[in-house]
Amino acid sequence: MDGFKNILKKAQGLKILVVGDVMLDKFVAGDVDRISPEGPVPVLTIREEKLMLGGAGNVLANLCALGAKPSLFTLIGADDAADTVRALAKSHGDDAHGLIVDASRPTTQKIRYLARSQQMMRADFEKTHAADAVIEKSLLDTVQKAAKGAKAIVLSDYGKGTLGKSLIQGIIKTAQAQGIPVLVDPKGRDYSIYHGADIVTPNRKELAEAAGAGSVKSDADVTAAAQKIMKECGIKSVIATRSEDGLSVITVTAKPLHVSAQARDVFDVSGAGDTVISVLAAALAAGASLDDSARLANIAGGIAVSKIGTAPVTAADMDAALGRSDIGAGIAPLLSLNDAGAQVKAWKDAGATVGFTNGCFDILHKGHVTYLSQARAQVDRLIVAINTDVSVRLLKGPSRPVNDEQARAAVIGALGSVDMVVLFGAEKAGEDNTPCVAIESLKPDLFFKGGDYTIDQLPEAKIVQSYGGRVRIMPMQDGFSTTAIIDKSRKTG
């Protein structure tokens, strides 16, 4: 896994172009408590609106989150939504010079109305006609000027009119002349428009449709369909995403590679394809082989479907995943507070209740396992904050911890009751050695504390109650103690 980490490090700051259909995704969330007196429809009382980039914009967001330096090239309308798209693109480090105005179309918007995390309706603003020759030439010229120094180009085709055949071919020829790999997230049945592309990344359904195949369930089916597309359409490689079956890499020259899916809970598959092609592009840009790039992308796809909504997979997510020797075993990730906060928000947006507890967890024993299991039974997601090594030494003395913080995080994360691990603690004597900062940042719905405490004895309780959270004192199982285990081992050793 260290080799994979180095690939991602090399991708930091690399120039990658993203060309395709951008969308403004708007999520309008609220509550439904009554039916309208004007007709048999629910009344949504709105409590929150959230805006994010979709389509090619989600590829931009993923590449930015991985540490690359992406630029977006797309068509937008002459409207207020276009201003929002520009602002969001700039928030991802793009200067937005590649956003070309086409007054004949609105900026594509998809507005989703949700009640208690259930989608009630979606309203789309879009026109999907092909761009006229003048607009298309303007976009191609802009891409060609930006191509110098690029390490990869991603074509994100959602069939909204940005990527016509002549534009696609103009970009591919420009890339070929400069030795830049072109990756395509395809749309439709005719892949001949992508002739000359280095990689296309269809999902299972798209692969079957493009190859005219009735079924592509088995490895042999996928291989045959991919080989047909490559031969008929002049495409160098196919990386087929296969949902729960992982992905497959088929090329003209090498033996097919079928990579198993990572074992993770699937919460939301939206945006997973954007994540896969983003990691592929970043890894190839960094000089990785196609097979290694695909393996990295497969890991990222597993992370993406375990998130809620189209949240991009970050460099920290990948680093946490690659830091585990038993990757794919379902171990809860160790996250920074910043990344943990983003995941907690996504969980809460989906209506999940989030619990939090903390401890040293130096030597895991039955008391710990029982306690965490009982806590997890009361919430949808459980965060465990563990003391850093320095924090443990301040609490327990210079001989502790027995296991370092990374080892403790891996063991705790392997428990089925745990959904996320974070670190906390003082860096020197006299500093706050409680998880108050973590709690204030993450704002869990329930804070669990084991032992004989009363709520007024806990500084954490005041913070939890200040934002409307609840505190629950949990009974500890008698007869189990890390200190007792250590003392016993010394006596018998």
Side-chain angles (χ1 to χ4, degrees), residues 427-449:
E427 295 183 2
K428 58 185 179 181
E431 292 183 346
D432 178 25
N433 209 7
T434 71
C436 285
V437 171
I439 291 171
E440 194 163 18
S441 174
L442 302 179
K443 293 182 172 55
D445 299 297
L446 275 82
F447 169 59
F448 298 100
K449 189 69 177 179

Side-chain angles (χ1 to χ4, degrees), residues 53-75:
L53 294 178
N58 191 38
V59 179
L60 177 82
N62 271 274
L63 285 167
C64 181
L66 290 168
K69 189 172 178 55
S71 296
L72 177 64
F73 301 84
T74 188
L75 299 181

Side-chain angles (χ1 to χ4, degrees), residues 73-88:
F73 301 84
T74 188
L75 299 181
I76 54 175
D79 49 26
D80 291 342
D83 294 336
T84 304
V85 169
R86 284 193 192 92
L88 289 171

Side-chain angles (χ1 to χ4, degrees), residues 37 102 129 154 166 181 200 225 230 244 246 283 298 348 390 398 416 418 427:
D102 180 355
H129 60 275
V154 177
S166 61
V200 294
M230 290 188 296
E244 70 278 2
N298 188 54
K348 289 187 175 184
V390 173
V418 178
E427 295 183 2

